[in-house]
Amino acid sequence: MRTDNATLDETRPRSWRRLLHQPDRLADFTVRGFASDPPELRARLETAAGTFLDGFNEGLAAPAGAPPRFEDQPDHLRGFAVEGLAMQAALLDLLVPGSRRLPAVLHLHGPAHIHLIHVGVGWAMAKLRWPFWARLSGLDPLLRWLALDGWGFSAGFFADAGGLRRITAHPRRCSERCAIRYQGVGRSLWFRGTAVPTRVADLVATLPQWHHGDAWSGVGLAAAYAGGVSPEGLATLRERAGAHAGDLGQGVAFAAAAWQRSGWTPPELATTVHALTGTDPRTAADWTREAEAGLRTPATGPVEYQTWRQRIRARVLLASL
């Protein structure tokens, strides 16, 4: 995304709309260099990515304080539109003096899509390469760390050959913040591998070993939220996750919680959740809320976020016994 060091001015909307507008080609798998088959899964994932861009661009066109409602978006895509909208709002709140777009997005869409909003904020962080939570109001103390997942997804989705080398050749263990970003990288591999379990697993294997659990968590989230897996593919996914099956299931539980909050669940969600967690979507979503106990405070940091993940992972492993 370009800003060209230009001054963004809310009173001159056409200039920053042109500056920040996201073209459709950014979601084209051929342009991105992603796997192009099978065609039906490519179409499904390109549509999700394109809906994200639509949400971003519609947010740019909307008046400040009046974000689009996306009532014309089908239930299975609305969350992606909200994610793009949140990225747009976070960017403008930082770049435009006096802008307060993100609180309006949280007020309108937070009840149904609070997880996606925090992930969308992370896309803005990735573009500006700056974790600017202190400049944004209304973020949840625990869920705000999902922004690092969004940052990692953006890095993985848009990486060129050099970027992929940096991601896959990470030389040593890093902080909890870095580990959360690799969860987002794992989600991006679902798109890079066009939701083919063996292909996605091979991509995870290229990452540093100490980040495999983080990446499998992201794969699980994408498998259950973006979808596209057959029952046979789910069995392959669980088998290939191996020792990280608990991390895979933890990501699935995150997705189940996000879908439950939206008020609509995909028809295939029950099959996906049961295959990868051993339980039903309602129970998996409940795990995520129960695991939050004592973690949401004004001082909540990445360590507490990782504790949240570990508690859910333990529930998944227990259910699989």
Side-chain angles (χ1 to χ4, degrees), residues 121-252:
V121 168
W123 281 78
M125 290 183 181
K127 295 307 177 187
L128 298 176
R129 299 185 180 276
W130 181 25
F132 49 81
W133 286 300
R135 297 286 299 276
L136 297 173
S137 59
L139 297 180
D140 181 271
L142 180 61
L143 296 183
R144 67 175 184 161
W145 296 100
L146 282 170
L148 292 179
D149 177 297
W151 186 332
F153 184 96
S154 176
F157 190 87
F158 290 114
D160 57 14
L164 281 177
R165 282 194 297 272
R166 288 190 291 274
I167 291 171
T168 58
H170 200 265
R172 55 188 174 275
R173 294 182 185 275
C174 55
S175 69
E176 287 83 0
R177 291 174 182 248
C178 173
I180 298 169
R181 286 199 292 271
Y182 270 88
Q183 177 181 299
V185 170
R187 279 199 305 121
S188 77
L189 299 183
W190 192 250
F191 287 73
R192 281 189 168 273
T194 323
V196 175
T198 52
R199 190 185 291 153
V200 173
D202 289 343
L203 289 170
V204 172
T206 67
L207 300 177
Q209 184 175 359
W210 46 84
H211 286 307
H212 284 184
D214 303 314
W216 277 111
S217 170
V219 168
L221 205 166
Y225 197 86
V229 202
S230 68
E232 296 77 16
L234 292 171
T236 299
L237 205 59
R238 186 180 179 96
E239 178 184 358
R240 291 292 302 270
H244 300 292
D247 298 291
L248 177 70
Q250 174 265 305
V252 170

Side-chain angles (χ1 to χ4, degrees), residues 7-294:
T7 300
L8 299 181
D9 184 349
E10 192 83 50
T11 65
R12 294 186 294 169
R14 290 184 181 178
S15 63
W16 50 256
R17 284 177 191 165
R18 288 196 300 270
L19 194 66
L20 298 177
H21 179 84
Q22 300 297 284
D24 292 342
R25 67 177 181 276
L26 293 178
D28 188 308
F29 277 23
T30 299
V31 172
R32 299 261 60 82
F34 295 176
S36 60
D37 62 293
E40 66 276 12
L41 293 182
R42 172 180 174 169
R44 179 179 185 137
L45 296 178
E46 279 186 329
T47 298
T51 303
F52 173 94
L53 298 177
D54 291 342
F56 184 99
N57 292 328
E58 287 186 41
L60 283 180
R69 294 181 174 274
F70 302 126
E71 292 172 334
D72 58 334
Q73 287 287 356
D75 292 324
H76 70 286
L77 292 174
R78 192 170 297 119
F80 294 105
V82 171
E83 186 179 348
L85 175 66
M87 177 189 176
Q88 169 272 150
L91 271 178
L92 290 184
D93 282 2
L94 186 70
L95 297 174
V96 179
S99 176
R100 295 269 300 168
R101 287 177 172 248
L102 187 60
V105 173
L106 284 162
H107 176 75
L108 177 62
H109 292 292
H113 298 291
I114 193 67
H115 303 83
L116 279 299
I117 291 173
H118 285 80
V119 172
V121 168
W123 281 78
M125 290 183 181
K127 295 307 177 187
L128 298 176
R129 299 185 180 276
W130 181 25
F132 49 81
W133 286 300
R135 297 286 299 276
L136 297 173
S137 59
L139 297 180
D140 181 271
L142 180 61
L143 296 183
R144 67 175 184 161
W145 296 100
L146 282 170
L148 292 179
D149 177 297
W151 186 332
F153 184 96
S154 176
F157 190 87
F158 290 114
D160 57 14
L164 281 177
R165 282 194 297 272
R166 288 190 291 274
I167 291 171
T168 58
H170 200 265
R172 55 188 174 275
R173 294 182 185 275
C174 55
S175 69
E176 287 83 0
R177 291 174 182 248
C178 173
I180 298 169
R181 286 199 292 271
Y182 270 88
Q183 177 181 299
V185 170
R187 279 199 305 121
S188 77
L189 299 183
W190 192 250
F191 287 73
R192 281 189 168 273
T194 323
V196 175
T198 52
R199 190 185 291 153
V200 173
D202 289 343
L203 289 170
V204 172
T206 67
L207 300 177
Q209 184 175 359
W210 46 84
H211 286 307
H212 284 184
D214 303 314
W216 277 111
S217 170
V219 168
L221 205 166
Y225 197 86
V229 202
S230 68
E232 296 77 16
L234 292 171
T236 299
L237 205 59
R238 186 180 179 96
E239 178 184 358
R240 291 292 302 270
H244 300 292
D247 298 291
L248 177 70
Q250 174 265 305
V252 170
F254 268 14
W259 278 124
Q260 186 184 80
R261 181 148 182 161
S262 77
W264 181 86
T265 54
E268 70 270 20
L269 184 65
T271 299
T272 301
V273 173
H274 186 267
L276 300 181
T277 71
T279 191
D280 59 273
R282 180 183 294 275
T283 300
D286 287 345
W287 288 345
T288 71
R289 287 186 290 273
E290 293 163 2
E292 294 176 2

